[in-house]
Amino acid sequence: MSLHIEKIAVIGVGTMGAGIAQIAIQSGHEVWLYDAKAGAAQEAQQKLSQTLKQLADKGKFSHAKAEQDLARLHIANALSDLSDCDLVVEAIIENLEIKQDLMLQLEQVLKADAVIASNTSSLSITAIAAKCQQPERVAGYHFFNPVPLMKVVEVIQGFYTRDDIVQALVQLSEKMGHRPVVAKDTPGFIINHAGRAFGTEAYAILSEQVAEFYEIDRIYRDGIGFKMGPFELGDLTGMDVSHPVSESIYQQYYHEPRYRPNINTRQRYIAKQLGRKTGQGFYDYRSGQKQGDVAPVFVGRLNDYPSVWLGADFAQDAEELKRYLNAQQIRLDTQAQPQANSLVLLACYGEDATTAAQRYAVNPEQVVCIDLLYGLDKHRTLMPSLVTAPHLLHAAHSIFNLDGQSLTVIEESLGFVAQRVMAMIVNLGCDIAQQKIATVDDINAAVRLGLGYPYGPIEWGDVLGGEKILTILERISQISHDPRYRPSPWLRRRVQLGLKLNHQPQHQQEQAA
């Protein structure tokens, strides 16, 4: 069966619904707006008219095009007015019973071959369709705000959803200029699922007092390369939004440790320190500007430096450190074992400084560890042991400030900050692929477009190095015994075989062809 979608209805005309209507009319579809609140659809129509005219004024397209698009926008005064629509997209309140009731009402008025889609972000499509006489025509169609700018949409196949409906929604998405990503009906789908590691690991790191929240943000932003740190993003989104979502996904996955929420966010949620909307979150916004960020400390050139003895888990890290130290004219201690007055610099993975010192059989009083997961080109992170001599830590701080780059000194931690975060992000992406919730290409595209990451989680693992990611997870798991860090079989097998994480087995390639 081949479905042809021309007439689209949007139910619920908030920001999300209006955005869906906008891209639909702009791509040549006839659209009907309906909302249970009297006058809401008319108001949304007026706002859309203003939006398109403003865009035309800015030269995005002609005023004639804007008028043509607006002529395809209609108001429905009752659900029965939608009887001739090919597709109905509901974008109403996130309440299962209310959505189920709407589905039943729609079945009474729509033609037999019409598709019903839910824009839900957190509810099961299978559950939404459970009471329908034809659950096979119900699918998920999850957009992101602002819809015209967020060029990705999740097409979710419920337990009964027909394959041809999934394909029809995929084709419609492309026609509307959005990248469709197809997902199984699982909690969080792709994007909200894959995004769990970004915040949950940061909150765990803060709880362990590894670093201040603003330093963690700086490592995320200036080191790893995210547009925002987790605490900046949490303040922007609002703890009243993000914390309940974390608890919901944790509950839906039957307390899977990887999604464990954090008491820090729960307390802020209860205390109404929600972020920008209340003037106070992790940062303070009461003045109208973000307050509470503390600039990194810079240590200038010293009169004298100790020689540096290097230990590195990976040869390329050792070479990178040697090049940097030679460029800064820092003496290297090339003895088999470090001299008593040398700075012992360890580029380790997945360990704290104490464990790394024991593994390298060196004096922990001389040890400073450095995170080289993303190299030396950006913000650096140093980690001393509990007993590192202050003058050696001061010297290390100065050495890695000499080229003008900033750095953070953290407390002892298994796997620094960036290592823990990136290992969890990559591992979760691999686990989503392992469960076949979506294809590797769709997982990567969804995260790039929906979350704004520089890379998708699985391709990022290849950029950083799958062996490094696996080493981090295995060591943290072994030392902490925390099951949240257990490596995904998808990751482990590919590293063991020397394959890229993006590698698709030959038999799967043949099946896809």
Side-chain angles (χ1 to χ4, degrees):
M1 184 186 297
S2 178
L3 294 173
H4 187 63
I5 296 175
E6 286 297 334
K7 298 178 180 180
I8 301 172
V10 178
I11 300 178
V13 294
T15 304
M16 182 70 78
I20 298 170
Q22 179 181 332
I23 64 170
I25 60 173
Q26 288 184 300
S27 57
H29 295 86
E30 298 289 330
V31 176
W32 279 259
L33 293 177
Y34 175 80
D35 197 286
K37 181 181 177 182
Q42 289 82 355
E43 184 179 345
Q45 184 183 42
Q46 292 172 0
K47 288 182 178 179
L48 272 175
S49 176
Q50 293 172 357
T51 296
L52 293 191
K53 288 177 180 177
Q54 288 171 356
L55 291 171
D57 288 341
K58 294 178 180 179
K60 300 295 183 182
F61 40 76
S62 69
H63 285 277
K65 171 71 163 60
E67 291 298 327
Q68 291 170 1
D69 292 342
L70 289 168
R72 287 190 287 270
L73 188 62
H74 315 285
I75 299 297
N77 295 311
L79 287 178
S80 57
D81 293 344
L82 310 180
S83 61
D84 197 37
C85 288
D86 305 307
L87 167 67
V88 176
V89 182
E90 68 83 5
I92 63 173
I93 188 172
E94 286 287 273
N95 180 290
L96 179 58
E97 291 185 359
I98 294 175
K99 288 182 185 290
Q100 286 177 331
D101 183 61
L102 176 61
M103 297 292 128
L104 294 177
Q105 293 180 60
L106 288 171
E107 279 198 314
Q108 299 302 312
V109 300
L110 295 177
K111 56 188 180 181
D113 60 348
V115 176
I116 306 174
S118 173
N119 183 62
T120 183
S121 62
S122 61
L123 299 176
S124 163
I125 300 303
T126 303
I128 290 172
K131 295 182 179 180
C132 291
Q133 293 180 352
Q134 293 179 280
E136 65 275 9
R137 64 167 167 169
V138 179
Y141 207 32
H142 181 213
F143 291 86
F144 294 82
N145 266 325
V147 176
L149 300 180
M150 297 292 286
K151 300 289 188 178
V152 64
V153 55
E154 294 176 313
V155 179
I156 302 104
Q157 185 162 23
F159 192 85
Y160 293 106
T161 309
R162 297 198 319 258
D163 290 343
D164 64 317
I165 285 178
V166 172
Q167 288 306 311
L169 292 176
V170 164
Q171 292 169 9
L172 175 64
S173 306
E174 292 170 344
K175 188 172 181 181
M176 294 193 296
H178 277 48
R179 169 62 156 91
V181 292
V182 179
K184 284 183 181 178
D185 185 16
T186 51
F189 310 130
I190 303 173
I191 295 172
N192 284 334
H193 187 173
R196 291 301 92 206
F198 179 90
T200 53
E201 199 59 27
Y203 298 136
I205 290 168
L206 182 65
S207 292
E208 296 168 22
Q209 297 295 295
V210 173
E212 296 290 346
F213 66 88
Y214 52 82
E215 291 286 10
I216 298 171
D217 272 350
R218 183 173 292 119
I219 293 169
Y220 269 70
R221 188 183 58 244
D222 300 346
I224 302 172
F226 289 105
K227 295 177 182 177
M228 264 188 186
F231 303 101
E232 293 172 309
L233 182 60
D235 281 355
L236 179 64
T237 303
M239 203 53 64
D240 56 329
V241 174
S242 59
H243 180 76
V245 169
S246 295
E247 288 192 336
S248 174
I249 289 180
Y250 183 60
Q251 296 294 340
Q252 289 181 73
Y253 272 105
Y254 297 103
H255 295 190
E256 160 59 51
R258 288 191 178 117
Y259 315 120
R260 188 187 304 139
N262 191 273
I263 188 61
N264 273 326
T265 60
R266 176 69 179 172
Q267 289 176 333
R268 289 183 180 275
Y269 175 65
I270 294 170
K272 307 294 185 186
Q273 288 199 349
L274 306 180
R276 290 177 181 267
K277 64 182 67 175
T278 59
Q280 184 74 46
F282 288 98
Y283 297 92
D284 190 331
Y285 304 91
R286 288 172 293 183
S287 67
Q289 300 292 326
K290 185 181 79 171
Q291 304 291 328
D293 200 353
V294 178
V297 174
F298 276 81
V299 177
R301 181 173 288 277
L302 306 179
N303 292 328
D304 189 37
Y305 288 97
S307 57
V308 177
W309 188 89
L310 293 178
D313 293 349
F314 294 90
Q316 66 265 39
D317 291 347
E319 292 304 314
E320 186 171 7
L321 284 171
K322 287 177 184 177
R323 285 194 298 271
Y324 178 84
L325 295 171
N326 287 331
Q328 305 305 325
Q329 300 181 332
I330 302 298
R331 299 186 307 276
L332 292 176
D333 178 351
T334 58
Q335 300 298 314
Q337 287 296 310
Q339 301 176 55
N341 58 351
S342 291
L343 164 64
V344 175
L345 187 66
L346 302 181
C348 57
Y349 288 80
E351 298 170 313
D352 54 21
T354 298
T355 306
Q358 291 177 339
R359 183 166 59 86
Y360 277 92
V362 295
N363 183 357
E365 296 180 8
Q366 297 174 258
V367 166
V368 174
C369 297
I370 185 167
D371 186 0
L372 282 189
L373 181 64
Y374 53 80
L376 281 174
D377 292 338
K378 298 185 286 185
H379 183 86
R380 291 91 188 243
T381 304
L382 299 179
M383 174 174 60
S385 78
L386 292 176
V387 295
T388 299
H391 75 281
L392 291 177
L393 176 59
H394 188 68
H397 195 150
S398 174
I399 287 170
F400 290 100
N401 274 162
L402 288 176
D403 64 346
Q405 284 289 0
S406 61
L407 68 81
T408 296
V409 178
I410 64 171
E411 301 294 333
E412 277 206 84
S413 162
L414 293 176
F416 296 89
V417 172
Q419 287 184 16
R420 283 176 63 170
V421 169
M422 290 311 305
M424 292 296 274
I425 287 173
V426 173
N427 196 45
L428 184 51
C430 290
D431 209 51
I432 292 171
Q434 177 68 40
Q435 296 176 52
K436 295 188 177 179
I437 292 172
T439 66
V440 171
D441 285 346
D442 277 1
I443 293 167
N444 284 327
V447 169
R448 285 196 311 269
L449 295 170
L451 298 176
Y453 291 7
Y455 303 94
I458 301 174
E459 63 186 352
W460 210 342
D462 284 333
V463 170
L464 297 173
E467 186 180 357
K468 290 182 177 180
I469 297 297
L470 182 61
T471 298
I472 295 164
L473 293 166
E474 288 182 332
R475 286 179 178 168
I476 295 178
S477 295
Q478 182 180 9
I479 298 168
S480 71
H481 304 288
D482 189 337
R484 67 189 276 123
Y485 299 103
R486 67 191 187 279
S488 167
W490 178 280
L491 168 67
R492 179 174 50 78
R493 293 186 189 112
R494 282 159 175 75
V495 173
Q496 287 175 330
L497 292 170
L499 301 173
K500 295 288 187 181
L501 301 186
N502 272 304
H503 173 81
Q504 185 179 10
Q506 186 65 37
H507 66 274
Q508 292 183 6
Q509 294 179 32
E510 291 173 355
Q511 289 173 1

